[in-house]
């Protein structure tokens, strides 16, 4: 399978700039497009900070860091950003209508042999692809945060995704130095979100039934299963509101086994969303509180 030499990333936020940096670190010329100039500024700053950390740890040299930065362009013009792209990866917010608009735009501006990937965590690939005239080239390419570090890419086959596009997506993941798994059917939660939500919700229920404390459940995940964090600690990082939304989406698809537990619903209602609000499952008091 031929390797790609030019990638365009749409959206320069948490995931987009990380995917772009990863690709540039693997020798690919990268354009990152965003509608928000301030976001582009933050993205280029975050990449520079991340590369400086790699230099400090002697993972890469000063020269390599400069070469990586030189391979990256931050663009606010979509036509310029898409010039010469062999693959495009979209990482705009998780809103179906927004992603559909973005895909209509990139579909119209790229030749039909260009691979179009979406980094959605749980939206339907098929629904996103339906906004294009060439849905067969749209594929799920779900990276994990931070993309430069996390080893997996979850590849999702849309209803119309061709075998060729799927094979090219696996090859692109290989080129980026990642392990990949393939979700063969475009189903809610794919593989990883569905599996982790089942575990998270069951941990919450064990806590609600008074069988174990949150601390002991987190300790169990860390020490019995070698998870780097327990489910309560991890959920405080990625947001209780995100978990509640995920739970509701999965309940709609799979039924009551994914119903949101009352203690999750009430915490979100009280604004306890995790570290970002200073409290979630645990408290995170700041110095002046
Ligand atoms: N954050 C995570 O941990 C994580 C992990 C895996 C997957 N994802 C998925 O990745 C996607 C992006 O998430 P994120 O956390 O990077 O979001 P983010 O909010 O950090 O970044 C999104 C960026 O997209 C830009 N944007 C908005 N509309 C745009 C448009 N029309 N064209 C171009 N850019 C536009 C915004 O200005 C912003 O910079 C979502 O689908 C999310 O579900 C996120």
């Amino acid at each position: 399978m031929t390797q790609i030499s030019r990638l365009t990333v749409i959206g320069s936020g948490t995931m987009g700039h990380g995917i772009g940096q990863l690709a540039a670190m693997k020798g690919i010329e990268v354009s990152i497009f965003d509608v928000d100039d301030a976001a582009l500024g933050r993205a280029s700053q975050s990449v520079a900070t991340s590369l400086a950390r790699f230099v400090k740890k002697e993972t890469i040299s000063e020269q390599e860091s400069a070469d990586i930065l030189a391979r990256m362009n931050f663009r606010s013009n979509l036509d310029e950003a898409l010039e010469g792209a062999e693959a495009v990866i979209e990482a705009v917010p998780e809103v179906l209508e927004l992603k559909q608009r973005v895909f209509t735009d990139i579909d119209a501006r790229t030749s039909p042999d260009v691979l179009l990937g979406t980094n959605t965590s749980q939206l339907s690939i098929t629904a996103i692809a339906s906004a294009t005239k060439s849905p067969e080239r749209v594929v799920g390419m779900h990276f994990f945060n931070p993309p430069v570090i996390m080893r997996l890419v979850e590849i999702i086959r849309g209803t119309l995704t061709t075998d060729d596009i799927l094979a090219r997506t696996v090859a692109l993941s290989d080129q980026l130095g990642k392990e990949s798994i393939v979700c063969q059917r475009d189903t809610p939660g794919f593989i990883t979100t569905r599996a982790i939500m089942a575990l998270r919700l069951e941990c919450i229920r064990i806590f609600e039934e008074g069988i174990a404390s949150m601390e002991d459940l987190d300790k169990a995940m860390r020490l019995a299963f070698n998870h780097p964090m327990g489910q309560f600690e991890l959920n405080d990082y990625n947001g209780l509101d995100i978990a509640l939304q995920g739970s509701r989406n999965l309940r709609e698809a799979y039924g009551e086994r994914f119903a949101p537990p009352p203690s999750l619903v009430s915490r979100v209602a009280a604004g306890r969303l995790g570290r970002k609000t200073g409290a979630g499952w645990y408290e995170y008091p700041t110095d002046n509180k």
Side-chain angles (χ1 to χ4, degrees), residues 13-15 33-35 39 91-94 99 119 121 142-143 145:
T14 308
M15 297 305 287
F33 167 76
D34 204 296
V35 286
V92 304
E94 191 79 340
K99 288 191 189 280
N119 187 47
S121 311
H142 181 202
F143 290 82
N145 189 17

Side-chain angles (χ1 to χ4, degrees), residues 9-17 19 33-40 42-43 78 90-95 98-99 101-102 105 118-123 141-147 238:
V9 180
I10 309 290
S12 68
T14 308
M15 297 305 287
H17 83 260
I19 295 166
F33 167 76
D34 204 296
V35 286
D36 179 354
D37 282 335
L40 284 171
R42 285 193 299 274
L78 185 58
E90 164 276 315
V92 304
E94 191 79 340
V95 178
L98 172 61
K99 288 191 189 280
R101 273 203 307 280
V102 165
D105 284 350
T118 169
N119 187 47
T120 180
S121 311
Q122 51 177 322
L123 295 174
M141 206 172 179
H142 181 202
F143 290 82
F144 296 83
N145 189 17
N238 49 32

